[in-house]
Amino acid sequence: MRIWSAALEAVGLLAVAGLLASLAAAAPPVARPKLSAHDAEAKALLAKMTLEEKVGQMTQAEQDKLSDVKDIQTYFLGSLLSGGSSDPKAGNSLQAWTDMYDAYQKVAVQTRLKIPILYGVDAVHGHNNVLGAVVFPHNVGLGATRDAKLVEEIGRITAEEVRATGIQWAFAPCVAVARDERWGRSYESFSEDPALVAELGAAAVRGLQGADLKDPLRVLACAKHYVGDGGTSWNSSPHLAAQGARLDQGDTRLSEAELRRIHLAGYPAAIAAGVGSIMPSYNRWNGERVSGSKRLLTDILKTELGFEGFLISDYNALDQLPGDRRAQVKQSINAGMDMVMVPEKYKEFYAALKDLAEKGEVPMSRIDDAVLRILRVKFAMGLMDAGRSPLADRSLQARFGSPAHREVARRAVRESLVLLKNDKKTLPLSKTAKRIVVAGKNADDIGNQCGGWTIDWQGKSGPVMPGGTTILAALKAVAKGGGVTFSKDGSGAAGADIGVVVVGETPYAEFKGDREDLSLDKEDLAAIANVKKAGIPVVVVVVSGRPLILGDALTQADALVAAWLPGTEGQGVADVLFGDYKPTGKLSFTWPRSMAQIPINVGDATYDPEFPYGFGLQGFQR
Ligand code: BGC
Ligand code: BGC
């Protein structure tokens, strides 16, 4: 595998060239309506607003932490969110979500100025909190497709499913450039390569928002987490260390030139694609919290890059700034934060900001700028149009979780698979095999296929999402010989024609997924070894949010496929394994040989990975 090293310098240069090309190409092909085109109407409304109404627009509360629904009116709330595990009180169903959204919106439009709320949700791979939604592969898999058109189409469908519940704002796409796979958010990143992140991030924005924010079938997108979230140093998040964090919300220690070259890449591209909101990150940059940095929020993002939309802080992120609540709010708003995600402490935030404004510690010009930015977006979205109801369009529900939507997800799964090894033409599988033995803990588990940010913040093993197909069920549906048997631990494989062992990770999100060791676990290695003992060819399918250390599994496997976190449509995996679709996926992350090699990224001075960035057998050649 040493041959890789030779080609790598060239790849590194290509990455830089690619970045420049994609930034140039990111200029919008058609003149996109500027958000500031709505300034006349937004300013007219602003002129009528009291300080209380302005501060309210800048406040986002968590719906399940509202102490009273009337607080939407009392505090003139501009926005609500449902966080990762925040279901409607009536339970989790398409109906309950839609009723919940409508109920809150009806309360909001009874305020004096009748300004509708923006409702935000983490629709990061489909409308993933809602039972019955189509769940797409996480970004790590989409990176492997290298298919911007497909990513755009996924954004469009996600928007349609989100809108079916009335919700009009997705906290997506994540344009993190994950540079260390030990990070629990690696799977939310399209790639370690800034150019690919820029290209696919922009495509996701176009898909979610459409050509014009007014489109009632699309949603407001949110590029996140600005900036450097994927570049933190090991053990640089002591405030969360007790909860397992080693990288998440840590400190990104890089020169400004490096920060810009690697981690900023997604933002000019997202802005050019028209993104209306951006979420500043929890992390620090050389010791300073991004959420309180005027240089990063105002000077670079708004002034230099010309971002006209609004900034929404991350969940309780202001709590991590120095000083008491007042000092935190003052620093962040003065740095350029426009709306603050204060899930529970919205009353305290509202009181602190109002007081700071009254005392001139946050200038009225800053408050007005923040509210103007929020109103611009609300006008641009048509939310303020007299003739347009801000309530859910329930006719969209017919398409929620529909076969047509699932078909696109299945295609995404197919295109995301990366064939890493295929000795002796082990793949494709024969549809008429007498017996295929399927094994492994991820063979028959929708929850594991979907990963984190699915129904629950952390995701969950088991049948968490109805309407999907596990990899096992998909293989069974194709095998005409009828001979697919399942044994989780791989025992009883003797006499089968071939074995397929589906291994990998179980769900996690954010800091809870930070890991010091990314080796396949004992259960996985045992399942592979058990099938191998039967003396039959072994296909290993890795379901994971990042490259894992394969160890013996790589030698034991005759064929090896990286399937990432494919989501609900397991048939996409069967399509490739049975050869109905020839593998086309390419690694968007370097695959390391050992933990000692991490962090390892394309372009590194020394680079000798197990599989290099861009690798993937095309078709079934060995
Ligand atoms: C995450 C964001 C997410 C927000 C709302 C935060 O913890 O960092 O990505 O959008 O929560 O759920
Ligand atoms: C919420 C998530 C949020 C996280 C932040 C969870 O309780 O459900 O949305 O990202 O807390 O720590």
Side-chain angles (χ1 to χ4, degrees):
M1 299 237 176
R2 306 262 155 192
I3 45 160
W4 306 130
S5 332
L8 290 170
E9 269 166 59
V11 178
L13 292 174
L14 280 177
V16 175
L19 172 61
L20 296 175
S22 91
L23 289 181
V30 281
R32 204 168 279 282
K34 291 193 93 186
L35 289 169
S36 53
H38 298 276
D39 279 10
E41 37 191 356
K43 280 180 180 161
L45 179 55
L46 188 64
K48 292 186 202 151
M49 292 171 78
T50 63
L51 175 61
E52 287 78 3
E53 286 165 334
K54 291 176 185 178
V55 169
Q57 282 302 308
M58 296 169 70
T59 310
Q60 182 188 62
E62 157 66 77
Q63 71 82 19
D64 75 358
K65 295 183 167 42
L66 282 177
S67 45
D68 185 336
V69 175
K70 288 271 184 237
D71 283 353
I72 296 172
Q73 296 172 347
T74 312
Y75 298 94
F76 308 100
L77 297 183
S79 179
L80 288 178
L81 91 145
S82 271
S85 307
S86 156
D87 294 342
K89 289 186 183 62
N92 190 345
S93 68
L94 177 56
Q95 213 50 52
W97 275 89
T98 317
D99 293 346
M100 171 182 77
Y101 166 84
D102 274 358
Y104 289 135
Q105 194 61 283
K106 281 179 188 158
V107 174
V109 296
Q110 282 164 32
T111 49
R112 183 178 77 99
L113 295 171
K114 305 183 173 45
I115 305 174
I117 44 163
L118 270 172
Y119 200 109
V121 75
D122 290 290
V124 299
H125 59 152
H127 199 4
N128 44 60
N129 288 342
V130 183
L131 284 178
V134 176
V135 178
F136 294 91
H138 268 298
N139 288 349
V140 61
L142 299 184
T145 70
R146 300 294 198 279
D147 189 344
K149 280 259 168 321
L150 172 67
V151 171
E152 188 173 335
E153 180 66 358
I154 290 170
R156 185 187 70 75
I157 292 171
T158 300
E160 206 171 275
E161 298 214 347
V162 171
R163 276 284 184 171
T165 55
I167 295 174
Q168 349 85 326
W169 187 10
F171 301 131
C174 177
V175 294
V177 182
R179 302 288 282 185
D180 185 329
E181 288 78 42
R182 294 173 295 181
W183 187 35
R185 306 195 80 156
S186 297
Y187 64 79
E188 297 187 61
S189 170
F190 291 112
S191 176
E192 70 190 27
D193 174 21
L196 186 57
V197 170
E199 186 192 354
L200 299 185
V205 170
R206 289 196 301 271
L208 288 164
Q209 295 194 352
D212 189 329
L213 273 170
K214 270 215 159 59
D215 187 339
L217 299 182
R218 311 282 181 139
V219 298
L220 174 65
C222 181
K224 70 186 190 184
H225 312 80
Y226 175 85
V227 59
D229 49 352
T232 55
S233 297
W234 187 250
N235 272 338
S236 67
S237 40
H239 65 294
L240 277 178
Q243 292 182 70
R246 295 292 176 267
L247 288 161
D248 196 37
Q249 307 191 12
D251 190 19
T252 297
R253 296 165 186 156
L254 287 176
S255 69
E256 182 166 331
E258 283 292 279
L259 185 80
R260 283 174 180 264
R261 184 179 71 80
I262 299 169
H263 298 283
L264 190 66
Y267 295 92
I271 292 168
V275 75
S277 71
I278 291 178
M279 188 183 293
S281 186
Y282 285 120
N283 65 272
R284 285 163 283 151
W285 172 43
N286 294 331
E288 189 190 6
R289 287 272 165 213
V290 172
S291 301
S293 166
K294 179 159 187 293
R295 168 129 182 83
L296 291 173
L297 304 191
T298 297
D299 300 350
I300 296 183
L301 196 48
K302 293 179 176 176
T303 308
E304 182 188 323
L305 298 181
F307 175 59
E308 292 185 341
F310 70 90
L311 301 180
I312 168 73
S313 78
D314 206 342
Y315 198 99
N316 278 144
L318 268 56
D319 292 0
Q320 296 180 19
L321 295 174
D324 61 8
R325 178 171 317 281
R326 222 173 160 279
Q328 293 164 341
V329 172
K330 179 176 170 179
Q331 183 185 344
S332 187
I333 303 295
N334 282 339
M337 197 70 79
D338 301 307
M339 186 189 280
V340 175
M341 195 187 286
V342 265
E344 196 168 6
K345 302 255 164 63
Y346 56 93
K347 295 176 195 172
E348 290 86 338
F349 167 77
Y350 174 93
L353 182 54
K354 183 168 171 281
D355 181 59
L356 286 160
E358 280 165 354
K359 302 211 162 88
E361 291 177 65
V362 171
M364 271 316 290
S365 56
R366 178 70 270 278
I367 302 272
D368 284 346
D369 172 59
V371 180
L372 177 67
R373 287 169 175 274
I374 294 163
L375 293 179
R376 255 179 199 163
V377 170
K378 290 190 174 181
F379 275 106
M381 292 174 74
L383 265 179
M384 314 292 292
D385 291 2
R388 193 161 139 181
S389 165
L391 301 184
D393 172 359
R394 293 181 192 239
S395 73
L396 294 175
Q397 298 191 345
R399 267 127 79 185
F400 183 87
S402 64
H405 287 181
R406 291 187 190 280
E407 194 48 44
V408 175
R410 175 177 181 169
R411 192 182 127 210
V413 174
R414 244 186 239 151
E415 290 190 29
S416 69
L417 297 203
V418 182
L419 181 59
L420 294 172
K421 179 178 179 183
N422 192 26
D423 283 359
K424 293 174 272 170
K425 297 207 165 70
T426 303
L427 286 175
L429 301 172
S430 159
K431 291 182 188 174
T432 53
K434 273 201 320 302
R435 180 153 85 95
I436 300 173
V437 60
V438 176
K441 67 169 188 270
N442 287 347
D444 196 25
D445 196 310
I446 282 279
N448 291 359
Q449 267 171 230
C450 289
W453 296 109
T454 310
I455 300 301
D456 277 315
W457 175 41
Q458 290 293 315
K460 213 192 268 176
S461 294
V464 294
M465 190 57 110
T469 308
T470 67
I471 295 171
L472 175 66
L475 292 171
K476 279 186 171 164
V478 182
K480 295 204 175 59
V484 171
T485 60
F486 177 57
S487 123
K488 199 170 182 180
D489 66 359
S491 58
D497 302 294
I498 192 164
V500 178
V501 193
V502 189
V503 297
E505 293 188 308
T506 52
Y508 54 79
E510 299 191 46
F511 48 87
K512 299 205 176 189
D514 284 2
R515 296 272 186 281
E516 192 155 11
D517 186 2
L518 296 174
S519 306
L520 279 177
D521 66 24
K522 286 206 184 72
E523 182 185 357
D524 287 344
L525 293 173
I528 296 167
N530 281 341
V531 176
K532 189 74 188 172
K533 263 195 314 226
I536 56 175
V538 179
V539 178
V540 172
V541 177
V542 184
V543 170
S544 65
R546 45 194 158 185
L548 299 179
I549 305 305
L550 298 168
D552 283 351
L554 182 57
T555 2
Q556 298 207 321
D558 298 283
L560 189 104
V561 176
W564 314 112
L565 296 170
T568 45
E569 307 313 301
Q571 300 102 317
V573 177
D575 290 341
V576 172
L577 295 187
F578 281 107
D580 290 329
Y581 179 85
K582 291 193 178 51
T584 54
K586 295 177 179 168
L587 293 178
S588 63
F589 285 88
T590 299
W591 199 293
R593 294 175 187 278
S594 66
M595 287 314 296
Q597 285 193 328
I598 297 179
I600 182 170
N601 291 291
V602 61
D604 286 354
T606 56
Y607 188 72
D608 179 32
E610 194 71 71
F611 303 106
Y613 178 86
F615 183 73
L617 298 172
Q618 305 291 294
F620 290 107
Q621 84 276 28
R622 40 160 313 177

